[in-house]
Amino acid sequence: MAGEDRETQTKGLKLLGILDVQNTPCAREAILHGAGGSVAAGLLYFLATSRVKRSYDVGFAGFMVTTLGSWFYCRMNNAKLRVQQRLIQEGIKNKVAYEGTVMDPTRKGKAEAPSGPS
C-alpha cells in the first residue's frame, strides 16, 4: 500500500493526459481562472441573447482566452521574479567577495575626505 501512495503522489493530476497540473507552474491557477471566465462569459451572453448554442461557444472562447491570458501573465511574473532573484543573489555574492577590501562599494563614500571647509 505504501508503494501505491507514493505512485499517486508522484504521478500528479494530468489534464488531457499531457499537462501535469500539480507540477506545472501557473497551470492550476490558469485552469481555475479559465473556468470562471467561461462561466461568466457564457452566462452573460445567454442572459443577453437567450441563444444556448452560441452561449456555449462564447463560454468556450472565454475559457480559452482567460486561461491563456492568466497563464502568460503568471509566467511573465515568474520570469521577472527569477531575474530579480538572480540579481539579488549576484549582489549578495559581490558584497561578500568585496567586503573589507578596497573595492568595497560601501567603503568608497566613507574613505573620501569631506569636501567642505574644516
Side-chain angles (χ1 to χ4, degrees):
M1 283 201 184
E4 291 176 11
D5 290 340
R6 283 190 210 132
E7 184 179 314
T8 56
Q9 287 177 354
T10 59
K11 197 173 189 180
L13 174 68
K14 292 204 180 239
L15 185 65
L16 299 175
I18 54 172
L19 179 63
D20 189 6
V21 177
Q22 277 184 326
N23 297 327
T24 306
C26 303
R28 180 178 176 270
E29 291 83 8
I31 297 295
L32 290 174
H33 289 146
S38 111
V39 168
L43 185 63
L44 288 174
Y45 192 84
F46 176 75
L47 291 175
T49 63
S50 296
R51 297 174 65 189
V52 177
K53 180 166 181 354
R54 184 61 64 167
S55 298
Y56 173 80
D57 294 340
V58 169
F60 185 75
F63 173 78
M64 295 303 288
V65 168
T66 309
T67 300
L68 291 175
S70 175
W71 172 274
F72 285 119
Y73 179 77
C74 181
R75 296 294 288 185
M76 290 297 291
N77 280 343
N78 282 351
K80 187 173 20 171
L81 184 65
R82 279 194 305 269
V83 168
Q84 289 173 348
Q85 287 174 342
R86 196 174 309 127
L87 288 174
I88 290 171
Q89 285 176 346
E90 288 174 9
I92 290 172
K93 285 179 188 176
N94 287 339
K95 180 171 174 41
V96 169
Y98 295 133
E99 192 171 25
T101 65
V102 178
M103 296 177 63
D104 187 3
T106 58
R107 262 183 101 184
K108 284 186 179 178
K110 296 175 185 174
E112 294 175 5
S115 62
S118 322

